[in-house]
Structures are given as structure tokens and as C-alpha cells.
Amino acid sequence: MAKPGKKKVTQNEPASRGDFVTIYVMGEAYSVPRDLTIMKAMEYAGYRFIRGCGCRGGFCGACGTVYRTRDSYKLKVGLACQTVVEDGMFLTQIPFYPANKKNYEINQLTPDTQVLVRFYPELLRCIACNSCTKICPQDIDVMGYIQAAIRGDIARVADMSFDCIMCGLCASRCPAEIVHYNVGLLARRLYGAKIAPRAGHLARRLKEIAEGRFEPGLDKLIRMDEKELARLYYQERDIEPDVT
Amino acid sequence: MYPESMLESIRRLEATRGERLKQGKIPLLDAEAKKALLKSFHPDYIETSMRALQVGPNRGERTPLEIADLLEAWPVVDPKRFDPDNPKFSVDVLVIGGGGAGVAAALMAQEQGASVLLTTKLRLGDANTMMAQGGIQAADKENDSPERHYLDVLGGGHFKNIPALVRALVTDAPAVIAWLEELGVMFDKTDDGTMITIHGGGTSRKRMHACRDYTGAEIMRTLRDEFKNRGIPALEFCAAVELLTDDSGACAGAAFVNLDTNELFTVRAKTVILATGGCGRLHIQGFPCTNHYGATADGLVLAYRAGARLVFMDTIQYHPTGVAYPEQIVGQLITEKVRGLGAHLVNVLGNRFIYELESRDITASAIIRECTERKNGVLTPTGRLGVWLDTPLIEMLKGEGAVKKNLPAMYHQFARFGIYMDKEPILTYPTQHYQNGGVLINDQGETGVKNLYAAGEVAGGIHGRNRLMGNSLLDILVFGRRAGRSAAEKARKLTGDKRAGFKHLIEFEAQLKSAKVPRSRRAPMLFPEYRRPQLQTPFAFANL
């Protein structure tokens, strides 16, 4: 590189031109540098994303992509922003998949063993085919948490589904038409709101704030000039040691 | 998998690990040393990277070239093509932006009884909020207080922050955490419910709350679910390209493009909340960025044209630790939590060179100094430079499995490329991360334009010249909630029946003309351009 600050957008420049592979975007062939992610390769090929592109960092689930490679019957999957192209890759993005979501008031619910099945009775149609787990780009044991949901183990569903980015690929493959990620979402909210114990220190702090306990101190601080603040900051501020 | 050329340096790093473990904390820099380091190495101090604006409320103020090019630009759609007299929707409160600030604002406005419409140019929840990994600050532990939090925020911002905004930030923080807890956000807690909190850069108490390393994602997916449960209407893939104002200059709605169909339409509203996020995708000074695809400063452009003042536009935050290898994910975020958990920053020789939890501008400058002036950077096969983050240390400090447990997203991201960060270090270099400044607001989220509010990264003043980790997830919720409430209250007092249009653009365009701004310069940008030059075409709806 390029000293930082000297070069214009480096985002999509291949490391070495001349080293190309052929990919097929919805059947159309494009020659693209071999070291690019699917997303950058599609942009190199001339696509300007409106759908199918989000955080570009593997967190948002907008760019779920399915593909096949030469000489293999297997349907593979990846996030376009995190998966590097391969020669002969046949791909399409699935930026949207219709999904069934129930509405609820989370604090009106009881976290019993039936609540997940009550909202999503199609859970019981699971035939344990494992298609959801196989397609998950986050390597989540999706079928495992669906089985836990059927058993009514909310805490286990919440924990196992935690890395879900809600890309929807599981739902696209499910023969039982389950929308797995909405089950996980409900379980996590139930766990957070109803099962995990509330933080006692937080409630105490809220009470102190409501009583105006910190107001005099803050009144003083907001009137301080830069010099006084700097003195406090550099000379009187003690730092909590890292060891617990 | 690392190439042989980088392994030699890894061996040096491994050789010094034992000694570094015993070394203890590197002392914090004093005020003078900080100033000198920033001046010589922080990108904000490169003279030629900014210019004085020639138009608008901030005329004469130095602004990064990439942002100035958008503020000094013509409308992307000819305003005459819109029909403000026949809006497609009329609501009390219009929220532009579907990230954490926008959704929090919409929830609060709806609770106040207002009719609300939320719009976003991508999907609901597509925002930097989703990508925030490390945590959210709040002074809710016994050894901590809002006053301590206040002083930390001010020190991080070099004492330039707007005091009333910081006061609102630190006072509302515990209430925000309680609100999230109530909504079912799964914070990291001990068995008795105590929040597990750690340090972030610039904190004097451990007040960083987290949800593994998916903190923002967990907050965003919970807020989005709540939003959907309440049946609040949202328009996705509809981009705001202009605000509407009435004859008095007050904001009265906005003009939109449906990005799927190219339909142009307007929305009338009594009050408008801008929650459009920041500017990472402008790639200031050519830096890669950690930001979402939609972070193109649209809200700054819209507000500026309507007459809103901006503040601290001459300061951009470069996150100290962006990915420097592998090439495919260069610039993506390596959360500060990695350093919070104890990983050292180490140069090519295997030595530490700065206390890892200095504030972000200081740490980033120190890494740049290490790689440029001191020539102690590690070279990658594509010619980039970086320094190591010694992540296997976390396993030694916090126990085996600590990396996977606390940093599952990070672990997964590197494992895809055959790098296992519980066993090998990872290479980092500063990356464009955050817009410290933005539209000036007061502590209710009001901007300088009547009936126009702003919340989240588009707003400025809270963080002064440098934001601390964990205060952005906090600020979007504190000010999103405040803006939502006060915009709804204000709407109750307004009739919303004045004629509205684009009168504010007449004066603004006259200024563009006398400044000789070329007609080819258009804004808002909406999306960054990553196609090859020969394949680039304007949007179908754009003016030709």
C-alpha cells in the first residue's frame, strides 16, 4: 500500500490483476479476480447493490448466497461479503424470503415449556432432516435448537441461536416450513426479559438518579472550564484496576 | 493461514509473550504527549485533507474534502419533479433511518400517541448499530457514578463536548440499560443477574456492558422485533433525498425515491427525526472503513440544505484496530473488546508500544507512528502494514476457551480464512469508523431547523473531538428516545396544514451557483460506488 491517506478507495482493487476466475451470477458468466469476496466480485462485474448488501461485515444477514461448484451435486452457502469466489461458482443471492412472524407483548408472556410451540406450532412438523443446520452460514446447530424449542427449553434455544444473523437461509430449505430465526428471536427475548435475573445494582442506580442524587455533582461539572476539567481528569481520576 | 513472510514476526511475538505478561500496564500518556502524538500522526491533522466550505451555515469552516463535496452539491433529483401538495403519506412524526436511533425514536413517539412512519433506504435494522460489537456504557455499578462517566466522556473528547448533551447521555444511561433489559436483550450477566462489565478505552470504571460480541446486533434485533410487534409502519428501500419546509422555514416532511420502482413521492409530517447515521462509506482520505453500506452522510446533506448547523465536522474517528490481513476483509472492525479482554498491541519486533486502552484517537495515532515513522509495521503480501493484536494472550489471562466464548463473531470471521485467533495473533491497522461531529442538537434532539430533530451518528456535539467505545450504542438510544418523545410532544401542538415545498433550496442553490459548484456534483450519495469506472452509471432516477 500505499501510505495511509495517499490512495483513493482501495476497497475493490484486486491484489494482483491477471489472476482471474469465472463465476456465473444467475447463470451469466463473469471473469473476476480470484481473491475477491462474492460481493466485491459482483461489484467488479458491474452490479450496484440495492438489495443483497448490508453491513459488509458478516453481521446483518442481507447477503445470504447459495451456489454450486463444478462437478458437485452439493448446494453450498455463504455470506457474499465473507466468502471468496471459486472458479466455476454458480451463484444467486437470496436477499429476501417470505417469513411468518407472530406478534406478542413480550412482558405479557410466561416463559413456560409451551410458549414457543403455541406461537409457532409448525415446530412440531420438524422431521429432523438437518437441512437448516447444513445451510447455516453461521455454523449454528439450527436443528439442535429447534429440537430444544420443541422440548420447551427456552434457555437452551436462546444460547444456541445467539449467533443468528437472521439471513433466512434456514427457512428457505425447511420442508416443515418453520421460520427458525423467529423462534430463536422469541426465545432470546423471553430469556432476557423473563428468565435471566434482573440486575439489582441497576435498579438501585435508577432509584438514586430519580432521587436526584447526582444532580449537584453534575451541576458542578457542567460549569467547569477546560482547565479545571483537565486537572480533574489528569490528576484526580483513579482507574479501576483490571484484576477482579 | 499466514504466509511464511509473516510467520517470522509471529515467532518473535511468541518469544516475548512471557515477558510481556509480567510487564504490567504501560503508563497513560500525559496531556502534552497526547497532543504531540495526535498532531504528528492523526489523519485529522493532514492539512490538505480538508477545505473551507463556501456555502451554507458552516461557511468558512474546514471540512474533510469528501464531506465538503456532498455538502456543496446539487440535488440528486430535480425538486420540481416532486409534488409536495399531494403527499403519499401524512403523519405526526416521520423518522428517517432504520437503525438503533431511528427505531428507538419511533417506539417512543408511538408510545406518546403520535402516528409514526419510519423510512429507510435499506432494510429495517440495516445500520452500524447492527455491527457494534464491543459494548454499551452505563454507570450502574456501585463504584461508579454518572459524574465519573461524565468526566471520562469529556476527557475522551478533549474537553470540547457540549456539556448539556453529555449530561443527558450519562444521566439517561442506566435507564437505557433497564429499558433494554425489560425488552429482553440478553446482556452478559453472572448467575445473580449482576452485569458483567469490563473496561473500554478511556474508561475509569468497568462500565462496558456486552452481549458476547454481538452487542449491537442483539440490541438491534430486539428493537426491530418490538417495532414490528407494535405494528408501526415502515417503508424499506425508500431513500430520503430532500426535506420539505414551509414558508417559515420549518421542516414539514421529506421527499423520497422508491429504490425498487424509482417512484418519487413526498411524506408530510408535523415533525421529522433524522436518524440516517454517519459517513464511513465516503472513505475519508482513502481509508477502508468498518461501516455499513448505507453510511453515506445523507442526513448531513439534507439538514444542511434546510439550514441546520453542523459541529465538529473536522474530526473523524479512525478505529485503531481494523483488519489488515486477510485482504478480503481489510478494514472490517476488530472490536475494542479484544483489548478490553487483555490482548496486547505488538509491533513487528514483538514489542508493545502504547497502553492498549488509551482513547481511540491516541491508540490509532500510535499504530500509524509505529508503521510509518518507526518502520515497525508487519508487511502483508499485498503491501499493507499493520501491527499484531496478541489474541492468544486472552486464553492465558481469562482461561482456555475465553476467545470463543467472549468473541464468537470475531473468531468465526477469522476462522473462515483459516486464522484461529485463540492460537495465532491477528493483524490490524486503523480504519475509518465514526463521524465524531454532525448536526448540532440540544438535549431534546432539536436541530437549528424548527420541527427537525436528529439522533444517532448524524447528530454531533456529544462526543466532542473523539468518542469513547461504548458511548455510541448508548448515544443512539439516549437521544433516539429523547428525540422520539419530544418530536411527538411537539407534533401535538402543530396543525401541519401549512403549505410545504423546497423554498429552502432557492437560497441554497443561489449560493452553489455563486460558488461555481459544478452541476455534475450531486448529493445525497445514497450508496458508495464500487464498480469499475467504465461500468459506472447514474441512478435511473437521478437528474441527467
Side-chain angles (χ1 to χ4, degrees):
Chain A
M1 115 177 147
K3 269 205 197 130
K6 289 289 156 60
K7 196 169 164 187
K8 265 317 216 189
V9 178
T10 49
Q11 198 81 10
N12 278 357
E13 283 182 29
S16 64
R17 296 185 179 275
D19 201 359
F20 285 77
V21 295
T22 301
I23 62 166
Y24 300 84
V25 181
M26 292 177 279
E28 197 65 35
Y30 296 96
S31 180
V32 298
R34 78 161 61 239
D35 47 13
L36 297 184
T37 58
I38 293 171
M39 180 165 285
K40 290 179 182 178
M42 285 178 70
E43 288 170 332
Y44 179 88
Y47 281 78
R48 179 179 220 168
F49 287 105
I50 290 176
R51 288 179 183 266
C53 174
C55 74
R56 303 177 75 104
F59 281 91
C60 82
C63 65
T65 302
V66 292
Y67 63 93
R68 285 194 154 94
T69 46
R70 262 186 209 126
D71 307 322
S72 169
Y73 70 92
K74 269 187 120 45
L75 189 66
K76 297 179 187 167
V77 67
L79 299 174
C81 71
Q82 303 289 314
T83 309
V84 180
V85 291
E86 293 173 47
D87 194 37
M89 189 181 237
F90 258 77
L91 65 91
T92 190
Q93 286 196 297
I94 306 188
F96 178 85
Y97 200 82
N100 169 34
K101 191 196 114 55
K102 292 290 165 51
N103 291 341
Y104 37 77
E105 279 186 51
I106 202 76
N107 279 297
Q108 304 294 312
L109 302 182
T110 313
D112 56 34
T113 54
Q114 292 302 305
V115 60
L116 299 176
V117 169
R118 204 160 56 240
F119 278 105
Y120 297 107
E122 63 274 21
L123 276 169
L124 300 174
R125 302 177 68 216
C126 174
I127 54 166
C129 68
N130 212 31
S131 297
C132 49
T133 300
K134 281 193 282 190
I135 204 163
C136 178
Q138 290 289 88
D139 296 336
I140 296 169
D141 178 5
V142 185
M143 193 183 87
Y145 84 67
I146 290 300
Q147 292 299 319
I150 293 168
R151 294 195 305 274
D153 188 346
I154 294 171
R156 182 121 180 95
V157 180
D159 180 56
M160 287 180 78
S161 70
F162 197 85
D163 292 2
C164 173
I165 55 173
M166 303 176 72
C167 67
L169 288 169
C170 48
S172 79
R173 294 289 280 164
C174 181
E177 293 154 305
I178 296 165
V179 181
H180 315 65
Y181 58 88
N182 280 338
V183 177
L185 177 63
L186 173 55
R188 288 191 305 274
R189 288 195 66 187
L190 278 169
Y191 183 83
K194 295 292 202 172
I195 298 177
R198 292 289 169 94
H201 56 89
L202 182 56
R204 287 194 290 279
R205 180 52 42 87
L206 287 176
K207 193 160 162 277
E208 291 168 345
I209 289 172
E211 291 164 358
R213 197 170 139 181
F214 305 106
E215 293 303 297
L218 287 168
D219 282 340
K220 229 162 102 185
L221 280 167
I222 71 163
R223 280 196 300 267
M224 281 186 190
D225 62 18
E226 204 179 311
K227 229 174 120 188
E228 258 181 294
L229 284 164
R231 190 190 55 79
L232 267 187
Y233 185 81
Y234 285 108
Q235 288 164 31
E236 292 187 14
R237 198 179 65 126
D238 64 309
I239 313 246
E240 179 179 1
D242 203 32
V243 282
T244 38
Chain B
M1 226 167 334
Y2 288 110
E4 190 51 44
S5 62
M6 295 170 77
L7 290 178
E8 192 193 324
S9 176
I10 293 183
R11 284 190 285 270
R12 276 192 225 134
L13 164 141
E14 285 167 346
T16 59
R17 194 176 280 147
E19 233 168 273
R20 283 187 278 112
L21 262 175
K22 284 181 267 167
Q23 181 186 1
K25 195 173 133 181
I26 296 179
L28 285 162
L29 299 185
D30 63 24
E32 285 310 306
K34 277 190 190 176
K35 212 176 271 173
L37 179 61
L38 289 176
K39 204 157 175 268
S40 304
F41 296 100
H42 195 280
D44 280 353
Y45 289 81
I46 297 174
E47 277 291 310
T48 51
S49 72
M50 301 198 193
R51 70 166 187 257
L53 290 173
Q54 291 180 276
V55 305
N58 291 61
R59 200 184 322 206
E61 294 181 22
R62 290 170 54 70
T63 305
L65 299 177
E66 295 82 356
I67 296 175
D69 280 349
L70 295 181
L71 295 177
E72 299 178 328
W74 299 86
V76 69
V77 181
D78 182 351
K80 288 195 222 46
R81 293 166 63 198
F82 288 101
D83 180 5
D85 290 331
N86 291 297
K88 191 167 180 177
F89 302 93
S90 276
V91 292
D92 294 334
V93 179
L94 168 66
V95 181
I96 304 174
V103 173
L107 289 171
M108 286 299 138
Q110 190 242 16
E111 278 177 23
Q112 298 292 312
S115 66
V116 179
L117 175 68
L118 182 146
T119 67
T120 163
K121 66 181 172 183
L122 287 156
R123 302 172 309 166
L124 189 61
D126 277 344
N128 285 338
T129 305
M130 195 63 106
M131 311 177 74
Q133 298 172 26
I136 176 167
Q137 287 200 40
D140 59 10
K141 292 278 177 84
E142 252 152 57
N143 68 349
D144 200 358
S145 70
E147 293 121 309
R148 284 185 182 284
H149 192 178
Y150 183 95
L151 190 60
D152 288 352
V153 175
L154 266 285
H158 302 285
F159 309 105
K160 303 295 183 198
N161 324 44
I162 297 173
L165 299 181
V166 184
R167 183 181 196 154
L169 183 81
V170 301
T171 309
D172 283 8
V176 160
I177 301 292
W179 182 57
L180 296 175
E181 200 187 33
E182 179 91 14
L183 287 170
V185 167
M186 276 174 63
F187 285 109
D188 297 343
K189 292 179 174 181
T190 61
D191 289 342
D192 70 350
T194 304
M195 296 277 180
I196 298 171
T197 52
I198 65 170
H199 272 303
T203 56
S204 64
R205 288 291 180 274
K206 294 181 189 173
R207 71 168 79 88
M208 198 68 59
H209 304 59
C211 315
R212 306 186 192 179
D213 62 347
Y214 286 97
T215 312
E218 168 67 358
I219 291 172
M220 191 70 244
R221 64 198 183 191
T222 302
L223 292 179
R224 179 172 57 192
D225 190 50
E226 185 64 17
F227 179 95
K228 287 183 178 171
N229 282 341
R230 294 200 200 167
I232 302 172
L235 299 176
E236 297 184 312
F237 298 98
C238 288
V241 292
E242 221 68 66
L243 293 175
L244 298 176
T245 52
D246 65 22
D247 283 349
S248 73
C251 187
F256 291 89
V257 179
N258 179 324
L259 295 171
D260 284 333
T261 63
N262 293 322
E263 179 194 4
L264 303 179
F265 65 94
T266 57
V267 175
R268 283 299 308 266
K270 293 174 185 168
T271 53
V272 175
I273 301 171
L274 273 180
T276 48
C279 69
R281 288 282 158 190
L282 304 186
H283 298 287
I284 308 282
Q285 300 186 34
F287 271 85
C289 84
T290 61
N291 280 200
H292 196 277
Y293 186 49
T296 53
D298 303 355
L300 294 181
V301 173
L302 269 56
Y304 198 65
R305 286 176 182 169
R309 228 190 108 61
L310 313 178
V311 286
F312 299 113
M313 287 316 298
D314 60 339
T315 158
I316 295 291
Q317 180 166 86
Y318 299 87
H319 194 288
T321 55
V323 174
Y325 183 87
E327 184 70 22
Q328 289 85 357
I329 53 170
V330 159
Q332 288 181 21
L333 180 67
I334 298 166
T335 171
E336 193 161 318
K337 192 177 175 188
V338 177
R339 284 172 283 141
L341 289 166
H344 288 163
L345 285 168
V346 175
N347 65 19
V348 71
L349 304 168
N351 299 323
R352 292 171 78 192
F353 52 90
I354 187 82
Y355 173 53
E356 283 75 10
L357 292 178
E358 289 275 9
S359 60
R360 284 178 173 169
D361 50 352
I362 303 296
T363 314
S365 302
I367 294 173
I368 293 172
R369 177 179 64 187
E370 211 58 26
C371 292
T372 55
E373 188 190 64
R374 292 183 177 173
K375 300 193 167 54
N376 284 335
V378 180
L379 187 69
T380 74
T382 53
R384 291 182 190 275
L385 290 165
V387 296
W388 296 113
L389 248 183
D390 191 4
T391 44
L393 256 188
I394 297 172
E395 298 275 302
M396 299 170 75
L397 291 166
K398 310 270 168 179
E400 208 176 309
V403 166
K404 264 194 213 172
K405 181 164 171 280
N406 292 292
L407 303 162
M410 282 276 81
Y411 182 83
H412 199 77
Q413 188 168 34
F414 279 94
R416 284 183 181 118
F417 296 96
I419 293 168
Y420 299 93
M421 59 187 277
D422 52 349
K423 301 200 172 55
E424 308 161 283
I426 52 181
L427 197 72
T428 75
Y429 192 81
T431 175
Q432 190 193 342
H433 187 56
Y434 187 77
Q435 170 186 302
N436 289 315
V439 181
L440 175 64
I441 54 167
N442 66 14
D443 67 357
Q444 296 305 311
E446 290 174 297
T447 71
V449 176
K450 234 172 147 187
N451 303 338
L452 179 66
Y453 296 72
E457 194 170 342
V458 70
I462 304 154
H463 307 292
R465 301 194 64 80
N466 173 63
R467 175 177 66 78
L468 298 184
M469 170 198 182
N471 277 342
S472 183
L473 276 180
L474 177 60
D475 118 46
I476 61 170
L477 300 175
V478 166
F479 291 95
R481 280 156 48 98
R482 282 180 172 236
R485 270 194 299 250
S486 49
E489 270 167 35
K490 183 75 179 289
R492 233 178 279 144
K493 298 175 203 145
L494 299 170
T495 52
D497 54 1
K498 284 192 193 158
R499 274 200 78 175
F502 304 99
K503 206 174 154 194
H504 60 282
L505 286 178
I506 298 172
E507 161 65 5
F508 191 81
E509 293 195 343
Q511 288 186 36
L512 292 176
K513 207 169 161 191
S514 61
K516 298 197 171 61
V517 171
R519 291 274 169 180
S520 58
R521 216 193 274 157
R522 304 281 172 175
M525 179 192 265
L526 306 183
F527 297 116
E529 178 59 86
Y530 293 138
R531 296 170 295 184
R532 285 176 286 164
Q534 63 269 35
L535 298 176
Q536 294 175 5
T537 48
F539 289 113
F541 53 80
N543 291 335
L544 294 174

